[in-house]
Amino acid sequence: VQLQASGGGLVQPGGSLRLSCTASRRIPAINALGWYRQAPGRPRELVAVITSSDRTNYADSVKGRFTISRDSAKNSVYLQLNNLKPEDTAVYYCNMEAWGSGGMVNNYWGQGTLVTVSS
């Protein structure tokens, strides 16, 4: 399974972007879908997650500005980024977590899409 992320780009402070991530095929037993980001010189951090029951959780730094959603029929997860700030600049990675055999957890990652917020 491969995840294809898209939607990144250069945007001015206060602007918006919508990131998309689509799996090459349906992944059974999905537990959660998420977006992470990694800024230069910093560790990867969780931005937002949505569970199979549509519960969502956000990093404090993005609450009220970012919205995660999913479309199971399209094997996709999305991240709407509003009121962007320069500190949101990072490579954004999508993640799909699924239950595998024997209780193992399988993690699938997208290739990353760069978001640059600058005037």
Side-chain angles (χ1 to χ4, degrees):
V1 179
Q2 296 192 2
L3 306 188
Q4 181 68 43
S6 62
L10 173 63
V11 62
Q12 292 185 344
S16 298
L17 286 173
R18 185 175 189 247
L19 306 184
S20 300
C21 175
T22 300
S24 56
R25 63 169 175 83
R26 178 182 173 275
I27 301 174
I30 284 285
N31 180 37
L33 309 173
W35 286 94
Y36 293 72
R37 67 185 180 186
Q38 187 167 20
R42 302 193 65 176
R44 189 175 296 189
E45 63 174 352
L46 176 66
V47 175
V49 63
I50 184 168
T51 70
S52 56
S53 56
D54 287 330
R55 293 181 63 183
T56 58
N57 194 30
Y58 296 90
D60 288 342
S61 59
V62 308
K63 282 181 181 176
R65 301 189 297 121
F66 292 7
T67 302
I68 189 170
S69 62
R70 68 188 182 103
D71 186 334
S72 298
K74 295 183 178 180
N75 305 319
S76 295
V77 60
Y78 308 97
L79 187 67
Q80 179 67 40
L81 296 72
N82 295 330
N83 190 21
L84 282 159
K85 304 176 180 180
E87 52 263 41
D88 295 318
T89 295
V91 177
Y92 285 70
Y93 298 90
C94 57
N95 169 266
M96 296 188 181
E97 180 185 284
W99 295 110
S101 60
M104 297 289 289
V105 173
N106 296 319
N107 274 288
Y108 304 88
W109 291 93
Q111 84 285 6
T113 184
L114 177 62
V115 172
T116 303
V117 185
S118 176
S119 55

